[in-house]
């Protein structure tokens, strides 16, 4: 859902929605058609299957996985230095703390918890935000992982 809202608000931005379930991709395609969103592509796939194929400036997610796993998935879809915005719940700070070793291994920078809409909404949206590693960091970290196997 975050992608549909962004596509509506930013009609000049290309949005790729990644969803593995057929019924949800059907729903998303119907929404895209009904709303006339020519800037949206719906892909029925798992994020890990598209790693490296999509090089997004921004990757958003909601209710996908715990942050340690999500960081790996999102990093595969983002360009080097891309922004990841993960909508999380009340335990976001604890989830971020436990995911820090994975984020460090991926070369991610600037991890933080943001309360989007604080002061404007009764219940702000809790978002974990970080930047993906740069290409040299990814290559260096990839060599380390390969050497451990």
């Amino acid at each position: 859902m975050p992608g549909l809202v962004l596509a509506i608000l930013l009609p000049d931005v290309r949005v790729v929605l990644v969803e593995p379930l057929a019924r949800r991709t059907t729903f998303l395609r119907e929404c895209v058609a009904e709303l006339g969103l020519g800037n949206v592509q719906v892909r029925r796939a798992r994020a890990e299957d598209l790693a490296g194929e999509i090089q997004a400036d921004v990757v958003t997610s909601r209710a996908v996985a715990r942050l340690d796993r999500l960081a790996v998935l999102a990093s595969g879809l983002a360009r080097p230095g891309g922004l990841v915005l993960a909508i999380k719940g009340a335990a976001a700070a604890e989830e971020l703390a436990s995911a820090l070793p994975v984020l460090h291994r991926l070369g991610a920078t600037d991890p933080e918890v943001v309360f989007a809409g604080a002061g404007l909404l009764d219940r702000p949206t809790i978002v974990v935000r970080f930047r993906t590693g740069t290409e040299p960091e990814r290559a260096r970290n990839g060599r380390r992982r390969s050497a451990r196997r």
Side-chain angles (χ1 to χ4, degrees):
M1 285 304 202
L4 285 178
V5 174
L6 289 173
I8 293 167
L9 294 173
L10 303 167
D12 295 331
V13 173
R14 182 174 161 255
V15 176
V16 179
L17 305 176
V18 178
E19 171 58 54
L21 299 178
R23 67 184 169 81
R24 289 184 186 162
T25 55
T26 299
F27 170 76
L28 290 170
R29 286 185 177 115
E30 289 172 358
C31 289
V32 168
E34 186 69 26
L35 294 167
L37 298 174
N39 60 330
V40 178
Q41 177 187 22
V42 178
R43 300 280 306 265
R44 182 173 177 215
R46 299 180 62 81
E48 52 269 39
D49 296 332
L50 298 176
E53 184 178 328
I54 296 174
Q55 293 287 294
D57 293 324
V58 179
V59 175
T60 65
S61 68
R62 184 185 135 308
V64 172
R66 286 200 45 85
L67 189 58
D68 54 353
R69 173 142 168 72
L70 175 65
V72 173
L73 296 172
S75 291
L77 299 176
R79 69 166 173 76
L83 183 64
V84 175
L85 302 171
I87 299 171
K88 290 292 184 178
E94 293 82 16
E95 204 172 325
L96 175 57
S98 67
L100 284 175
V102 173
L103 291 169
H104 178 71
R105 188 178 77 237
L106 292 169
T109 61
D110 307 321
E112 64 180 330
V113 176
V114 177
F115 295 87
L120 300 173
L121 304 171
D122 290 335
R123 291 179 41 204
T125 301
I126 303 169
V127 179
V128 174
R129 174 173 63 185
F130 65 89
R131 292 229 171 246
T132 60
T134 62
E135 203 58 53
E137 288 169 334
R138 286 179 170 185
R140 192 170 48 249
N141 289 323
R143 280 194 301 274
R144 282 190 205 132
R145 279 194 300 276
S146 296
R148 290 182 192 153
R149 291 185 183 157

